């Protein structure tokens, strides 16, 4: 499934009003969507060794780069944890740092039958790069020196699409769901 299909499915099978209110998806929303697809899944609390010993991807919540969000745990190798972060791409943390930012030791696992498994998340050589937090803060979260109109244009192109209920009582489409573009902002500590 592509990102848009997943978001549409989460909106359809999740608690839509709560999703709109909190502006995010929950593990329960994910579980309902995965169940609608006919797959077994579950949220668990575990120790770091439990996550590593699963030997499969897991969705985990982290508190990093100024906000809480979900990432996909891809693997563990030589003391480093590799994740696919929707905000920052494929990144890694040393084991201690990951444990510090991992929220409540929560993990969400999906039981995908063997015949449908693909190795999309297998670690590649390009994933083995190590970027320090200070480097991310310096370059990825820096204020750019471009005119505001140009930054607004870039932000609209790079925004996340969200489905919201039309709350304009004078609109012909009142109460219907529509796509809105959301910009991603980082909060500095």
């Amino acid at each position: 499934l592509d990102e848009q299909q997943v978001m549409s499915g989460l909106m359809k099978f999740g608690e839509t009003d709560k999703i709109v209110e909190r502006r995010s998806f929950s593990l329960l929303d994910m579980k309902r969507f995965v169940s609608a697809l006919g797959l077994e899944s579950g949220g668990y609390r575990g120790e770091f060794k439990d996550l590593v010993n699963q030997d499969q991807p897991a969705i985990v919540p982290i508190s990093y780069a100024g906000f809480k969000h979900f990432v996909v745990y891809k693997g563990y190798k030589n003391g480093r944890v590799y994740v696919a972060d929707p905000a920052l791409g494929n990144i890694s943390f040393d084991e201690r740092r990951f444990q510090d930012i991992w929220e409540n030791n929560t993990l969400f696992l999906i039981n995908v039958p063997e015949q449908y498994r693909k190795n999309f998340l297998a670690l590649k050589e390009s994933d083995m790069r190590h970027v320090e937090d200070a480097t991310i803060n310096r370059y990825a979260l820096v204020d750019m020196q471009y005119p505001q109109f140009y930054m607004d244009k870039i932000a609209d192109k790079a925004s996340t699409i969200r489905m919201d209920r039309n709350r304009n009582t004078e609109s012909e489409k009142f109460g219907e769901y529509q796509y809105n573009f959301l910009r991603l902002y980082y909060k500095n500590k």
Side-chain angles (χ1 to χ4, degrees):
L1 301 174
D2 64 29
E3 183 179 8
Q4 186 57 54
Q5 290 170 316
V6 171
M7 288 178 60
S8 294
L10 287 166
M11 291 299 291
K12 181 176 181 180
F13 296 103
E15 296 177 300
T16 307
D17 291 334
K18 288 185 179 180
I19 293 169
V20 171
E21 180 183 321
R22 69 179 174 255
R23 300 178 147 217
S24 65
F25 300 110
S26 70
L27 285 177
L28 180 58
D29 298 322
M30 288 184 227
K31 175 143 181 70
R32 288 180 173 164
F33 177 47
V34 168
S35 294
L37 294 173
L39 299 172
E40 294 177 0
S41 65
Y44 305 93
R45 178 173 281 165
E47 300 299 320
F48 182 73
K49 64 181 167 86
D50 299 323
L51 177 64
V52 172
N53 291 336
Q54 287 300 312
D55 198 32
Q56 71 174 39
I59 297 172
V60 297
I62 64 170
S63 182
Y64 183 68
F67 64 105
K68 295 179 181 183
H69 60 290
F70 293 108
V71 297
V72 178
Y73 163 82
K74 294 175 69 172
Y76 174 80
K77 186 173 182 180
N78 299 329
R80 295 201 68 85
V81 177
Y82 296 88
V83 300
D85 186 321
L88 299 171
N90 291 322
I91 59 175
S92 69
F93 301 97
D94 67 59
E95 182 179 327
R96 171 73 5 231
R97 178 69 172 133
F98 178 80
Q99 290 182 46
D100 289 342
I101 64 174
W102 185 18
E103 286 287 314
N104 300 316
N105 288 30
T106 302
L107 58 147
F108 182 72
L109 299 171
I110 301 170
N111 185 13
V112 178
E114 191 69 40
Q115 67 268 27
Y116 297 114
R117 291 183 187 180
K118 296 191 171 135
N119 215 5
F120 292 132
L121 296 175
L123 293 177
K124 302 179 201 93
E125 189 62 36
S126 61
D127 293 327
M128 302 301 167
R129 64 193 181 284
H130 302 220
V131 180
E132 300 295 325
D133 287 349
T135 303
I136 290 175
N137 289 334
R138 187 178 320 120
Y139 295 110
L141 309 178
V142 70
D143 290 330
M144 302 298 283
Q145 301 299 315
Y146 294 108
Q148 188 60 44
F149 75 88
Y150 180 71
M151 293 306 294
D152 288 341
K153 183 178 174 182
I154 291 172
D156 285 338
K157 282 185 177 179
S159 62
T160 299
I161 300 173
R162 179 180 79 191
M163 190 176 286
D164 287 326
R165 188 173 291 197
N166 184 333
R167 299 194 186 278
N168 181 356
T169 56
E170 297 175 13
S171 171
E172 292 178 15
K173 298 188 180 228
F174 173 73
E176 293 180 22
Y177 285 95
Q178 60 193 26
Y179 292 108
N180 288 321
F181 295 93
L182 298 175
R183 295 180 184 171
L184 177 64
Y185 294 97
Y186 290 98
K187 181 178 90 180
N188 291 329
K189 290 184 178 182

